[in-house]
Amino acid sequence: MSSKLRWHPFLKEWVIVAGKVQERPVLPARNACPLCYGGVEVPKPFDIAVFENRYPSLTKETSDIIPWEDDLYKLEGGRGVCEVVLYTMDHDSSMSRMPLEQIEKLVLVWEDRYKDLGSLDFIKYVFIFENRGEIIGVSLHHPHGQIYAFPYIPPIIEKEIKSSNEFYNQKNKCLFCSILERELNDGVRVVYENKHFVAFMPFYGRYPFELHIYSKRHLGSLPEMTYTEKMYLAEIIQKITKAYDNVYGFNFSYMMVFHQKPVKGDFPNYHFHIEFYSLHRAKDKIKYLAGVESGAGTFINPLPPEESAELMRDSIRRL
Ligand SMILES: [Zn+2]
Ligand SMILES: [Zn+2]
Ligand SMILES: [Zn+2]
């Protein structure tokens, strides 16, 4: 079934209406994992595997959808690609438990997918992400991430581009480089730093344990990184996911999203970063998004970033 996009007339953004997603398997038993080697998706042994999502929210083929628009509503085919990235054959592993070399290879796979999907003429944005944990709504536990290749620039990215352009026009410098400089100066929210990347809980974090990883060098996407930078990116991702799991001693639920520049066009003021969001606000407490976040668009963060940064630094010390 082809994916459809419906235009939200007052939020001015697309909503994906995807019928087939409802048929997704929900937490199959251990021996029925479709992502394990020998399962339905990957018949052969693999190291890292990428395949198209069987239940895509965006579909490659939408020629059966006739786009229409009247004076109020608009509908188009949701033409895009949804891929699943299997991090490892080991069902019980996770980003935090994988050897560093495996994450290094994964970074190269992400770069390859960004370039490859980005070269498709109908794709404007390649979005790499991982949902981890049942409280985030993950239906399969096998370590994996996903990639959505969009036919448009998603609204959050669009907003970030707009803000960074405005900032540059006013101050003649990069918004993200300025944030990084400020966070390094303030210091209290910095969690970890290696030669090429910094991880910090941003001053303005919306979620408890929200953490951002910025490249120290001003660059927009994975292909612009040197090989060395990519290896350091793997290192900091490993450190941060280990630190999350070690905070309370259980598998930490999170969303990890890559914010890179769009694949077509020129975005000199955009700056590569990764954002992690969590819903844990204490060892046995979960922050649910509810009326104020969903209905008013204002986030209430119950855990100040300075406190979560200290918890994360302590977690790293105990690793
Ligand atoms: Zn599995
Ligand atoms: Zn920058
Ligand atoms: Zn961002």
Side-chain angles (χ1 to χ4, degrees):
M1 193 191 294
S2 298
S3 161
K4 296 177 200 74
L5 300 176
R6 294 185 186 194
W7 185 249
H8 192 306
F10 47 90
L11 291 183
K12 295 189 169 182
E13 59 189 38
W14 289 110
V15 177
I16 299 174
V17 183
K20 220 179 175 186
V21 178
Q22 292 302 333
E23 299 162 21
R24 275 178 186 164
V26 178
L27 290 181
R30 170 74 175 79
N31 58 4
C33 174
L35 305 182
C36 269
Y37 146 57
V40 56
E41 299 291 359
V42 269
K44 291 192 182 137
F46 63 94
D47 188 9
I48 291 174
V50 180
F51 57 88
E52 279 184 36
N53 196 320
R54 191 178 286 265
Y55 308 95
S57 302
L58 297 161
T59 48
K60 260 184 175 168
E61 195 46 65
T62 55
S63 52
D64 56 321
I65 308 286
I66 299 159
W68 59 263
E69 179 177 3
D70 57 29
D71 56 359
L72 197 57
Y73 288 163
K74 181 159 74 168
L75 181 145
E76 281 180 14
R79 195 171 182 209
V81 185
C82 294
E83 291 186 337
V84 176
V85 182
L86 299 187
Y87 295 170
T88 165
M89 283 220 298
D90 182 358
H91 181 89
D92 297 312
S93 186
S94 71
M95 187 84 86
S96 57
R97 291 191 287 273
M98 272 157 43
L100 183 57
E101 310 85 75
Q102 193 71 8
I103 305 178
E104 290 171 353
K105 281 186 252 175
L106 186 57
V107 170
L108 299 178
V109 168
W110 282 328
E111 178 192 18
D112 174 74
R113 299 320 300 145
Y114 176 87
K115 287 197 283 198
D116 198 38
L117 292 167
S119 70
L120 296 170
D121 60 357
F122 56 96
I123 295 305
K124 291 210 176 86
Y125 196 81
V126 175
F127 184 64
I128 297 168
F129 67 102
E130 177 186 347
N131 296 327
R132 187 205 195 199
E134 277 172 54
I135 61 167
I136 309 284
V138 173
S139 52
L140 297 168
H141 285 318
H142 197 110
H144 72 286
Q146 299 185 62
I147 303 175
Y148 276 24
F150 284 92
Y152 56 87
I153 300 173
I156 288 184
I157 306 299
E158 208 164 47
K159 210 167 179 180
E160 290 190 353
I161 291 169
K162 190 165 176 274
S163 304
S164 57
N165 286 340
E166 283 169 8
F167 191 89
Y168 189 85
N169 291 339
Q170 284 162 12
K171 316 213 180 209
N172 213 25
K173 55 186 178 183
C174 165
L175 171 61
F176 301 97
C177 286
S178 305
I179 291 172
L180 185 54
E181 198 184 316
R182 173 66 178 264
E183 290 293 346
L184 284 169
N185 279 336
D186 286 358
V188 284
R189 289 174 299 273
V190 175
V191 168
Y192 181 72
E193 176 182 358
N194 66 24
K195 195 171 171 211
H196 293 292
F197 294 88
V198 182
F200 58 94
M201 310 312 238
F203 172 77
Y204 47 85
R206 298 180 299 164
Y207 294 85
F209 284 100
E210 177 167 342
L211 180 144
H212 292 192
I213 296 175
Y214 279 32
S215 58
K216 289 187 180 173
R217 191 160 68 84
H218 181 78
L219 52 88
S221 63
L222 285 166
E224 291 166 55
M225 288 179 197
T226 64
Y227 184 79
T228 311
E229 282 171 327
K230 283 177 266 192
M231 298 303 105
Y232 275 94
L233 179 62
E235 196 274 337
I236 201 166
I237 290 173
Q238 185 192 48
K239 186 72 77 182
I240 292 311
T241 51
K242 274 184 186 302
Y244 271 142
D245 279 6
N246 198 40
V247 168
Y248 295 128
F250 57 72
N251 288 348
F252 209 83
S253 298
Y254 61 72
M255 296 166 253
M256 174 186 75
V257 307
F258 279 56
H259 282 173
Q260 307 191 71
K261 69 175 191 186
V263 289
K264 310 259 166 39
D266 212 17
F267 302 91
N269 302 323
Y270 201 68
H271 187 129
F272 173 94
H273 59 283
I274 299 174
E275 301 188 5
F276 284 84
Y277 320 123
S278 173
L279 301 178
H280 297 293
R281 61 186 177 91
K283 187 163 189 166
D284 50 2
K285 291 198 182 78
I286 289 166
K287 154 80 184 169
Y288 289 105
L289 298 188
V292 182
E293 287 83 4
S294 301
T298 292
F299 277 69
I300 302 166
N301 185 349
L303 184 64
E306 292 76 14
E307 281 178 38
S308 59
E310 180 47 37
L311 288 167
M312 286 289 275
R313 285 193 298 264
D314 177 61
S315 171
I316 289 174
R317 283 192 288 268
R318 291 186 285 107
L319 279 176

